[in-house]
Amino acid sequence: MSAQDDSQSLTQTATSAPAPVRHTHNNVASAYLYIVATPIGNMGDITARAIDTLKQVDIIACEDTRTSGKLLANFGIDTQTWAYHEHNSEIQTPKIIEMIQRGHSVALISDAGTPLISDPGYQLVQAAHAAGVGVVPIVGASAAIAALSVAGLPSDKFSFVGFLPAKTHGRVKQLEQYIERTETLIFYEAPHRIVVSLKDMASVFGDNRPATLCRELTKTFETVKKSTLGELAQFVEADNNQQKGEIVLVVGGNVNNDSDDDSIHDELLLRLLQDLSVKKAAALASELTGVKKNTLYQRLLDLQKSE
């Protein structure tokens, strides 16, 4: 069946569903809620398991049936679709849970990437657990993880922040909550706000805080640029093409905690001096820490004198 529009999906009820089809997961015949990741751009990134799951389930719950319809048609998937988004989740959630309890299998997909990551779905998964319904992840693409993997910033600890508030006051107020956080931070941003957001980040975190701009990942005009927040703000403002598409910002954490700032920097600087000149060591340390290069250069000279 072809994708239905939002108004049609809202009229779906348990009585209009297709006959239940029994599927197996871990060799147990049952009906489940499948959380299925889809490509964030390149169609080739969908997994064979995702295609197989979407073909076999009884219903696919989509953030936008028109958008998902193109993806499904590309892979010859004609499974019935229902709209499931933030505006109808309260209505659709109990319907979907009832469908699964009646023996039907349901897959949840978003417009792109892994559902629930800045996309609808939390309410449905929460309800599934409360009802004793099995929830199965069908893993795949995620813009946040893809960006982290190419950012060139520490990845052992990170926090996903998602979208910042649209208005400046709210955006700055939220950014201020992360000033002292030492882990890498991952943000999503709308293209029409990317310039002002970068400027606000530079103002709050400092111009020299290392960051990576990831835009249109896996797509034709992909951008991955690592620099400082100040330089990225200038780069994006000067190029209108960088103000288009899907954008992820990966920002380095704060390594300038007052309590142990000097000892951390000194240890790093002394290690870099073993292999690099004072100038190169200062430049690399500045990129890694966000501290001004001149400050680190002077500290290196002091350390050399004290040896």
Side-chain angles (χ1 to χ4, degrees):
M1 182 179 293
S2 61
Q4 307 295 309
D5 63 23
D6 289 358
S7 60
Q8 290 175 310
S9 66
L10 285 170
T11 66
Q12 294 283 5
T13 65
T15 58
S16 66
V21 178
R22 307 300 286 181
H23 301 282
T24 60
H25 176 67
N26 294 335
N27 298 318
V28 178
S30 185
Y32 290 91
L33 171 63
Y34 294 88
I35 308 302
V36 183
T38 56
I40 58 175
N42 191 312
M43 288 288 192
D45 290 337
I46 196 169
T47 67
R49 188 181 179 207
I51 295 174
D52 186 55
T53 299
L54 294 175
K55 285 183 176 181
Q56 291 190 47
V57 295
D58 301 307
I59 297 168
I60 300 173
C62 311
E63 184 179 358
D64 187 321
T65 57
R66 293 161 295 186
T67 298
S68 295
K70 299 174 184 177
L71 171 74
L72 300 178
N74 187 73
F75 293 102
I77 300 169
D78 60 0
T79 305
Q80 180 177 348
T81 58
W82 285 14
Y84 184 89
H85 46 73
E86 61 180 340
H87 301 298
N88 72 356
S89 59
E90 291 188 5
I91 297 173
Q92 295 290 66
T93 292
K95 289 183 182 180
I96 292 173
I97 297 301
E98 181 184 357
M99 297 298 299
I100 299 173
Q101 291 175 325
R102 288 165 58 94
H104 296 81
S105 52
V106 178
L108 173 69
I109 63 176
S110 62
D111 286 347
T114 301
L116 278 75
I117 311 301
S118 282
D119 285 322
Y122 163 71
Q123 184 176 355
L124 179 59
V125 174
Q126 182 185 45
H129 284 294
V133 168
V135 184
V136 180
I138 308 298
V139 300
S142 168
I145 300 304
L148 180 65
S149 72
V150 298
L153 293 166
S155 56
D156 56 333
K157 294 181 181 180
F158 62 91
S159 290
F160 174 71
V161 182
F163 285 98
L164 292 165
K167 295 184 179 180
T168 300
H169 177 74
R171 184 166 54 246
V172 170
K173 187 174 181 180
Q174 183 167 336
L175 287 172
E176 288 175 343
Q177 298 176 16
Y178 290 90
I179 290 178
E180 300 301 326
R181 299 286 284 270
T182 58
E183 75 273 27
T184 297
L185 305 173
I186 304 175
F187 301 88
Y188 286 170
E189 192 50 274
H192 63 280
R193 291 198 298 266
I194 184 59
V195 173
V196 292
S197 288
L198 278 168
K199 289 182 177 180
D200 286 342
M201 286 182 182
S203 175
V204 173
F205 296 145
D207 285 343
N208 290 320
R209 181 76 71 94
T212 303
L213 170 73
C214 299
R215 188 187 67 88
E216 292 290 84
L217 290 175
T218 79
K219 300 176 185 177
T220 302
F221 299 105
E222 178 181 85
T223 298
V224 176
K225 184 173 178 61
K226 184 175 185 292
S227 187
T228 63
L229 285 171
E231 291 176 350
L232 285 177
Q234 295 176 8
F235 168 72
V236 173
E237 187 172 28
D239 186 349
N240 289 332
N241 289 324
Q242 301 302 324
Q243 302 170 35
K244 301 175 182 178
E246 304 291 332
I247 298 169
V248 185
L249 286 170
V250 186
V251 180
N254 179 16
V255 297
N256 301 321
N257 292 326
D258 294 338
S259 60
D260 55 2
D261 185 34
D262 289 341
S263 61
I264 291 176
H265 288 165
D266 287 355
E267 182 179 354
L268 172 63
L269 293 171
L270 288 171
R271 176 63 187 88
L272 292 175
L273 269 180
Q274 295 177 18
D275 302 306
L276 301 172
S277 67
V278 173
K279 183 177 181 180
K280 290 183 178 180
L284 180 55
S286 177
E287 181 179 347
L288 292 172
T289 66
V291 178
K292 291 183 178 180
K293 184 167 58 177
N294 290 342
T295 300
L296 294 172
Y297 182 85
Q298 184 59 52
R299 182 57 185 164
L300 275 164
L301 294 178
D302 293 340
L303 288 172
Q304 282 186 324
K305 293 177 182 178
S306 64
E307 288 184 344

